Amino acid sequence: MMQHNIFTTMRSLKIMDGCKGTQVYALNPSGPTTTSGAGAGGGVGDKLLHHLQDHLRVNSIRSKSNRTFQTPNQTLTPNNAVSENLLLPYGLPSTDLLEPLIEPCLKSVDFVQTLADVYRRIENCPQFDKWKVFIEQCAVFRGLSDPKLFRKSLRSARQHAVDVHTKIVLATWLRFERREDELIGYSAMDCCGRNIECPKASLVSGYNPESVYESCMCLTSSRAGDESAARDEECSTSEEDGDVSFCIGDEEVRCVRYNIASLSRPFSAMLYGGFLETRREKINFSNNGISADGMRAAEIFSRTKRLGSFDVIIVLELLSLANKFCGDELKSACDAHLASLVHDMEDAMLLFEYGLEETAYLLVAACLQVFLRELPSSMHNPNMMRFFCSSEARERLAMVGHASFVLYYFMSQIAMEEDMKSNTTVMLLERLNECAVESWQKQLAFHQLGVVMLERKEYKDAQHWFEAAAEAGHIYSLVGVARAKYKRGHKYSAYKQMNSLISDYAPVGWMYQERALYCIGKEKMMDLNTATELDPTLLYPYKYRAVSLLEEHMIGAAISEINKIIGFKVSPDCLELRAWFLIALEDYEGALRDVRALLTLDSNYMMFHGKMHGDHLVELLRPLVPQLSQADCWMQLYDRWSSVDDIGSLAVVHHMLANDPGKSLLRFRQSLLLLRLNCQKAAMRSLRLARNHSSSEHERLVYEGWILYDTGHREEALAKAEESISFQRSFEAFFLKAYALADSSLDPESSTYVIELLEEALRCPSDGLRKGQALNNLGSVYVDCDKLDLAADCYMNALNIKHTRAHQGLARVYHLKNQRKAAYDEMTKLIEKARNNASAYEKRSEYCDRDMAKSDLTMATQLDPLRTYPYRYRAAVLMDDHKEKEAIDELSRAIAFKPDLQLLHLRAAFYESMSDYICTIRDCEAALCLDSSHADTLELYNKAKELVNE
């Protein structure tokens, strides 16, 4: 670390002097205000409504003041109808202002072909260029719901990086994906122990893909011995050895002519090339920007080739001298030495400008690395942002070799997460555009500029950028063109735009979703239904249909509609919508549940079209529901966990954390629930909070282990578990170790060890929720080892402590014992108990005849269209019946919105059986883009290629 007095000196020189989701629900803006209400409007509900009125100070006039709502089981009669003004002073959501989001990522009209193309380029490009194609793969994966694919691709890009600049950006990006900036006690420059992210290893140039699997060497011995040797050599200097003097002011620095000449060709020419200086013993060197101390340091370097003992100011003088006299060796040494001194933001701020001025590649890299590893907080540092945001800043970085597409891609993504509408975001995207060279890069930069301009309501500019992206080949950007036209008042032109798109390309769900925005009546509903049929994961059609039903006074049907999407894809805006409906029904307990779950996903969410913070609505709803003690909450959590009610469980945990915010165990439970709901980003945030609130070292290590495991670092997770056990034997440490080991294919010896670990876990104190999970996992390992009676005992014990999912394991045991009826009955029990039971229907289908299986799998698909097994089963049945086209269509239907490895592999196998080897190869390539090591797909791929080449 540099000395404080050095920084004080440098500051005196005045070196630096020169140099999240949009909510789419709107208030109902028209109609007369009424203060009259019927019987249901009084009491506690009245207090809530008056609180809400006071909060908003609503003065707008609303229509339909005596609207009644019909539910499937209830019709509100005039006697219990409630004035809307009292019930919902915020108004009700309106279909007029519902809009689908335009995603700020690359989307393709033929995603499978895109994946196949990327895989081919990865396989065929030169080794030194592989990282570039992996970055493209990252951009393609960014639009998928599984962040693990993105992180895996990012790791591959870092593995194949060649130059220092690319390494520091990608290593930092990998670190950012874990959000280590949120971990208390971690410094930005702390090393995780792996070369792939090590800040020192990133500053080493060269192509070495295998090094990323190695432990880094940054914690080994320092260079103290080298510096001591350098000082010894310096002390042995004798001025009598010199044969030339450099006069600087009143001082003379005696040097060896040959040594100084060896520093660079200009020095050599000056001292031996026939110039005046060649014949002089004393050379006036006063006007060359170096002090006498600096020249003495140059003399020492000319002999020792070392800089270790010099002050920073002296090394900076030497760097300037090296640039002026083209001394490459001296410049490299100064560059590397200064880079090694950059440890934090203060260092970077002081040295960044020097590095830019002197084109010191490694120094700028080191400063850049600090800034990047301090993101997102450093994004708000105006003194640092001026190094990146303007065109001039990018040009200065480019001169030093540090302006790149990947740098601005990383920074712009963080800026968009921080504030989509900020000027910083716009400027970084403009720099991204300037760095774009390849077609996909231009498509991405143009498209994201269009998205940001649309958010900023700069519709003309948005249209311009979307059109540029479409012209570059990004067809999805035509959606943005249409939206910008619509916002500018050209609705018919927007409609024609989407109509043309649907005519020109194979149908995709988002095409019909967008066209629906510009239709009315039956045509609109037809487009929305088609969008859902093509892509059931799109949120907007469900939301629009739900609000339409609300406007037709059928609030029960509206809730049923929004439940369809919440059942398999949980999002804050859909939970908000359901909470809104439930408040209208005076189901305050249900509304509070949804608001609490929503705040778990996004703690800063603003309700009711951005008019009220979710936390405030919780406080207003709490007096209207039964008050629960912490013990009551635990009982309720057991009940909801037992009924597989994950949203209800989230709400209970949120309530418990409000009473005990520092309880790391509850944060951990929260993360498990969020992972089950596939809300990985929120789950990781809960894990980080659990780690930060840990009350002991062994507990902290366990949560760090889970963070590592969930971000793809299995071996490091195991090491954390073992370290935790060395401090204290605990349930969670043993469970983590067993879980991580069981993640790979287990041989008999490994299975035995996993069993021992789970048994050790069960001997440690824990609550029934986690012990039920451990028993369930232990049962699964016993089944794999063909110890069915022991497995059955585990599942029975798990069921005794209300671990309802154990029915599934017990059913598997019965099936393996050829007790198919008992297996079917066991799964029926799970279906009856579980709130979320799509997987139960899917599993029960394995224990019944074909017709009953078909019925169960149809139900599973209705409840959760993202489950792939039903599509594969139905397709296999169709192939058995020689209905090849129907089988392909069944798989294609799912692949269109979920490009899954197993689906692609099965379709490739079907194509191969039909002798369509071109399609076989395409689907294999797409599958291998998702997982290049999938053995069955590789075998099929190679076989198909051989047949094509015959």
Side-chain angles (χ1 to χ4, degrees), residues 28 32 72 76 138 158 171 207 231 242 251 259 274 279 285 320 501 512 555 591 625 682 714 716 802 865 897 937:
N28 191 337
L76 297 180
C138 286
R158 168 62 185 89
Y207 182 69
R231 290 190 186 96
E251 298 187 61
N259 289 342
R279 299 186 297 273
F285 216 62
S320 180
L501 185 60
Y512 287 90
I555 195 168
V625 300
R714 177 175 166 272
E716 292 87 341
K802 289 191 171 185
F897 61 87
T937 303

CSV table of all heavy atoms in Angstrom, one decimal, residues 28 32 72 76 138 158 171 207 231 242 251 259 274 279 285 320 501 512 555 591 625 682 714 716 802 865 897 937:
chain,number,residue,atom,x,y,z
A,28,ASN,N,-58.5,5.3,-11.8
A,28,ASN,CA,-59.7,5.5,-12.6
A,28,ASN,C,-60.0,7.0,-12.6
A,28,ASN,O,-60.3,7.5,-11.5
A,28,ASN,CB,-60.9,4.7,-12.1
A,28,ASN,CG,-62.0,4.7,-13.0
A,28,ASN,OD1,-62.1,5.6,-13.9
A,28,ASN,ND2,-62.9,3.7,-12.9
A,32,PRO,N,-68.2,10.9,-10.6
A,32,PRO,CA,-68.5,11.6,-9.4
A,32,PRO,C,-68.1,10.9,-8.2
A,32,PRO,O,-68.1,9.7,-8.0
A,32,PRO,CB,-70.0,11.8,-9.5
A,32,PRO,CG,-70.5,10.5,-10.2
A,32,PRO,CD,-69.4,10.2,-11.2
A,72,PRO,N,-67.2,-16.1,-8.1
A,72,PRO,CA,-67.8,-17.4,-8.5
A,72,PRO,C,-68.8,-17.9,-7.4
A,72,PRO,O,-69.7,-18.6,-7.7
A,72,PRO,CB,-66.5,-18.3,-8.5
A,72,PRO,CG,-65.4,-17.4,-8.9
A,72,PRO,CD,-65.7,-16.1,-8.2
A,76,LEU,N,-72.5,-9.6,-4.6
A,76,LEU,CA,-72.7,-8.5,-3.6
A,76,LEU,C,-74.0,-7.8,-3.9
A,76,LEU,O,-74.2,-7.2,-5.0
A,76,LEU,CB,-71.6,-7.5,-3.6
A,76,LEU,CG,-70.2,-8.1,-3.2
A,76,LEU,CD1,-69.2,-7.0,-3.3
A,76,LEU,CD2,-70.2,-8.7,-1.8
A,138,CYS,N,-23.5,-14.8,-24.0
A,138,CYS,CA,-24.0,-14.1,-22.7
A,138,CYS,C,-25.2,-13.2,-23.1
A,138,CYS,O,-26.2,-13.2,-22.4
A,138,CYS,CB,-22.9,-13.3,-22.1
A,138,CYS,SG,-21.6,-14.2,-21.2
A,158,ARG,N,-14.4,-15.5,-19.6
A,158,ARG,CA,-13.2,-15.2,-18.8
A,158,ARG,C,-12.1,-16.2,-19.0
A,158,ARG,O,-10.9,-15.9,-19.1
A,158,ARG,CB,-13.6,-15.1,-17.3
A,158,ARG,CG,-12.5,-15.0,-16.3
A,158,ARG,CD,-11.6,-13.8,-16.5
A,158,ARG,NE,-10.4,-13.8,-15.7
A,158,ARG,CZ,-9.3,-14.4,-15.9
A,158,ARG,NH1,-9.1,-15.0,-17.1
A,158,ARG,NH2,-8.3,-14.4,-15.1
A,171,ALA,N,-13.7,-10.8,-15.1
A,171,ALA,CA,-13.5,-11.2,-13.7
A,171,ALA,C,-14.4,-10.4,-12.7
A,171,ALA,O,-15.0,-10.9,-11.8
A,171,ALA,CB,-12.1,-11.1,-13.3
A,207,TYR,N,-2.8,-16.1,-22.8
A,207,TYR,CA,-3.9,-17.0,-23.0
A,207,TYR,C,-3.6,-18.3,-22.2
A,207,TYR,O,-2.6,-19.0,-22.6
A,207,TYR,CB,-4.1,-17.3,-24.5
A,207,TYR,CG,-5.3,-18.2,-24.8
A,207,TYR,CD1,-6.6,-17.9,-24.5
A,207,TYR,CD2,-5.0,-19.5,-25.3
A,207,TYR,CE1,-7.6,-18.7,-24.8
A,207,TYR,CE2,-6.1,-20.4,-25.6
A,207,TYR,CZ,-7.4,-20.0,-25.3
A,207,TYR,OH,-8.4,-20.8,-25.6
A,231,ARG,N,17.8,-2.7,-2.7
A,231,ARG,CA,18.5,-1.6,-1.9
A,231,ARG,C,20.0,-1.9,-1.7
A,231,ARG,O,20.8,-1.0,-1.7
A,231,ARG,CB,17.8,-1.6,-0.5
A,231,ARG,CG,16.4,-1.0,-0.6
A,231,ARG,CD,15.8,-0.7,0.8
A,231,ARG,NE,14.4,-0.4,0.8
A,231,ARG,CZ,13.4,-1.2,0.9
A,231,ARG,NH1,13.7,-2.5,1.2
A,231,ARG,NH2,12.2,-0.8,0.9
A,242,GLY,N,31.0,6.5,-12.7
A,242,GLY,CA,30.3,7.2,-13.8
A,242,GLY,C,31.3,7.9,-14.7
A,242,GLY,O,32.4,8.2,-14.4
A,251,GLU,N,22.3,20.7,-9.5
A,251,GLU,CA,22.7,19.4,-9.1
A,251,GLU,C,23.3,18.6,-10.3
A,251,GLU,O,22.8,18.8,-11.5
A,251,GLU,CB,21.6,18.6,-8.5
A,251,GLU,CG,21.1,19.2,-7.2
A,251,GLU,CD,20.1,18.4,-6.4
A,251,GLU,OE1,20.5,17.2,-6.0
A,251,GLU,OE2,19.0,18.8,-6.3
A,259,ASN,N,25.1,2.5,-19.6
A,259,ASN,CA,23.9,2.0,-18.9
A,259,ASN,C,22.7,2.9,-19.3
A,259,ASN,O,21.6,2.5,-19.6
A,259,ASN,CB,24.0,2.0,-17.4
A,259,ASN,CG,25.0,0.9,-16.9
A,259,ASN,OD1,25.2,0.0,-17.7
A,259,ASN,ND2,25.5,1.1,-15.7
A,274,GLY,N,26.9,10.8,-32.3
A,274,GLY,CA,27.6,11.9,-33.0
A,274,GLY,C,27.0,13.3,-32.7
A,274,GLY,O,27.4,14.3,-33.3
A,279,ARG,N,30.1,14.0,-27.1
A,279,ARG,CA,31.4,14.4,-26.7
A,279,ARG,C,31.5,15.1,-25.4
A,279,ARG,O,32.6,15.4,-24.9
A,279,ARG,CB,32.0,15.3,-27.8
A,279,ARG,CG,32.0,14.7,-29.2
A,279,ARG,CD,32.7,15.6,-30.2
A,279,ARG,NE,32.0,16.8,-30.4
A,279,ARG,CZ,31.0,16.9,-31.3
A,279,ARG,NH1,30.6,15.9,-32.1
A,279,ARG,NH2,30.4,18.1,-31.5
A,285,PHE,N,20.3,18.8,-18.5
A,285,PHE,CA,19.1,18.0,-18.7
A,285,PHE,C,18.0,18.7,-17.9
A,285,PHE,O,17.0,18.0,-17.5
A,285,PHE,CB,19.4,16.6,-18.1
A,285,PHE,CG,18.6,15.5,-18.9
A,285,PHE,CD1,18.9,15.3,-20.2
A,285,PHE,CD2,17.7,14.7,-18.2
A,285,PHE,CE1,18.2,14.3,-20.9
A,285,PHE,CE2,17.0,13.7,-18.9
A,285,PHE,CZ,17.3,13.5,-20.2
A,320,SER,N,7.2,9.3,-17.0
A,320,SER,CA,7.2,10.4,-18.0
A,320,SER,C,8.4,10.4,-18.8
A,320,SER,O,8.4,10.6,-20.1
A,320,SER,CB,7.0,11.7,-17.2
A,320,SER,OG,7.0,12.8,-18.1
A,501,LEU,N,-45.2,-7.6,-39.4
A,501,LEU,CA,-44.3,-8.5,-38.8
A,501,LEU,C,-44.8,-9.9,-38.6
A,501,LEU,O,-44.2,-10.9,-38.9
A,501,LEU,CB,-43.9,-8.0,-37.4
A,501,LEU,CG,-42.9,-8.7,-36.5
A,501,LEU,CD1,-41.5,-8.7,-37.3
A,501,LEU,CD2,-42.7,-8.0,-35.2
A,512,TYR,N,-48.0,-11.2,-31.2
A,512,TYR,CA,-49.5,-11.0,-31.0
A,512,TYR,C,-49.7,-10.2,-29.7
A,512,TYR,O,-50.7,-9.4,-29.7
A,512,TYR,CB,-50.1,-12.4,-30.8
A,512,TYR,CG,-50.2,-13.1,-32.2
A,512,TYR,CD1,-49.2,-14.0,-32.6
A,512,TYR,CD2,-51.3,-13.0,-33.0
A,512,TYR,CE1,-49.2,-14.6,-33.8
A,512,TYR,CE2,-51.4,-13.6,-34.2
A,512,TYR,CZ,-50.3,-14.4,-34.6
A,512,TYR,OH,-50.4,-15.1,-35.9
A,555,ILE,N,-65.1,-9.8,-10.3
A,555,ILE,CA,-63.8,-9.8,-9.6
A,555,ILE,C,-63.3,-11.2,-9.2
A,555,ILE,O,-62.1,-11.4,-9.3
A,555,ILE,CB,-63.9,-8.9,-8.3
A,555,ILE,CG1,-62.5,-8.5,-7.9
A,555,ILE,CG2,-64.7,-9.5,-7.2
A,555,ILE,CD1,-62.4,-7.5,-6.8
A,591,ALA,N,-55.0,-10.0,0.9
A,591,ALA,CA,-54.2,-8.8,0.4
A,591,ALA,C,-52.9,-8.6,1.1
A,591,ALA,O,-51.9,-8.4,0.5
A,591,ALA,CB,-55.1,-7.6,0.5
A,625,VAL,N,-56.4,-7.6,10.3
A,625,VAL,CA,-56.3,-9.0,10.3
A,625,VAL,C,-55.9,-9.5,11.7
A,625,VAL,O,-55.4,-8.7,12.5
A,625,VAL,CB,-55.2,-9.5,9.3
A,625,VAL,CG1,-55.6,-9.1,7.8
A,625,VAL,CG2,-53.8,-9.0,9.6
A,682,ALA,N,-33.9,-12.6,-6.1
A,682,ALA,CA,-34.4,-12.3,-4.7
A,682,ALA,C,-33.8,-13.3,-3.7
A,682,ALA,O,-33.5,-13.0,-2.6
A,682,ALA,CB,-35.9,-12.3,-4.7
A,714,ARG,N,-19.2,-25.3,-6.8
A,714,ARG,CA,-19.5,-26.4,-5.9
A,714,ARG,C,-18.3,-26.7,-5.0
A,714,ARG,O,-18.5,-27.0,-3.8
A,714,ARG,CB,-19.8,-27.6,-6.8
A,714,ARG,CG,-20.1,-28.9,-6.1
A,714,ARG,CD,-20.6,-30.0,-7.0
A,714,ARG,NE,-20.5,-31.3,-6.4
A,714,ARG,CZ,-19.4,-32.1,-6.4
A,714,ARG,NH1,-18.3,-31.6,-7.0
A,714,ARG,NH2,-19.5,-33.3,-5.8
A,716,GLU,N,-15.9,-24.9,-3.9
A,716,GLU,CA,-15.7,-23.8,-2.9
A,716,GLU,C,-16.8,-23.9,-1.8
A,716,GLU,O,-16.5,-23.7,-0.7
A,716,GLU,CB,-15.7,-22.4,-3.6
A,716,GLU,CG,-14.5,-22.2,-4.4
A,716,GLU,CD,-14.7,-22.6,-5.9
A,716,GLU,OE1,-15.6,-23.5,-6.1
A,716,GLU,OE2,-14.0,-22.2,-6.8
A,802,LYS,N,-44.8,-33.3,9.1
A,802,LYS,CA,-45.5,-32.5,8.1
A,802,LYS,C,-44.6,-32.1,6.9
A,802,LYS,O,-44.9,-31.0,6.3
A,802,LYS,CB,-46.0,-31.2,8.8
A,802,LYS,CG,-47.2,-31.5,9.7
A,802,LYS,CD,-47.8,-30.2,10.2
A,802,LYS,CE,-49.1,-30.4,10.9
A,802,LYS,NZ,-49.8,-29.2,11.3
A,865,PRO,N,-47.1,-24.5,-17.3
A,865,PRO,CA,-46.7,-24.9,-18.6
A,865,PRO,C,-45.2,-24.9,-18.8
A,865,PRO,O,-44.7,-25.3,-19.8
A,865,PRO,CB,-47.3,-23.7,-19.5
A,865,PRO,CG,-47.5,-22.6,-18.5
A,865,PRO,CD,-47.8,-23.2,-17.2
A,897,PHE,N,-41.2,-21.3,-26.2
A,897,PHE,CA,-41.1,-20.4,-25.0
A,897,PHE,C,-40.2,-20.9,-24.0
A,897,PHE,O,-39.8,-20.2,-23.0
A,897,PHE,CB,-42.5,-20.1,-24.4
A,897,PHE,CG,-43.2,-21.3,-23.9
A,897,PHE,CD1,-43.0,-21.7,-22.6
A,897,PHE,CD2,-44.1,-22.0,-24.7
A,897,PHE,CE1,-43.7,-22.9,-22.1
A,897,PHE,CE2,-44.8,-23.1,-24.2
A,897,PHE,CZ,-44.6,-23.5,-22.9
A,937,THR,N,-26.4,-35.9,-26.4
A,937,THR,CA,-26.5,-35.0,-27.5
A,937,THR,C,-25.3,-35.0,-28.4
A,937,THR,O,-25.4,-34.9,-29.7
A,937,THR,CB,-26.9,-33.6,-27.0
A,937,THR,OG1,-28.0,-33.6,-26.2
A,937,THR,CG2,-27.1,-32.6,-28.2
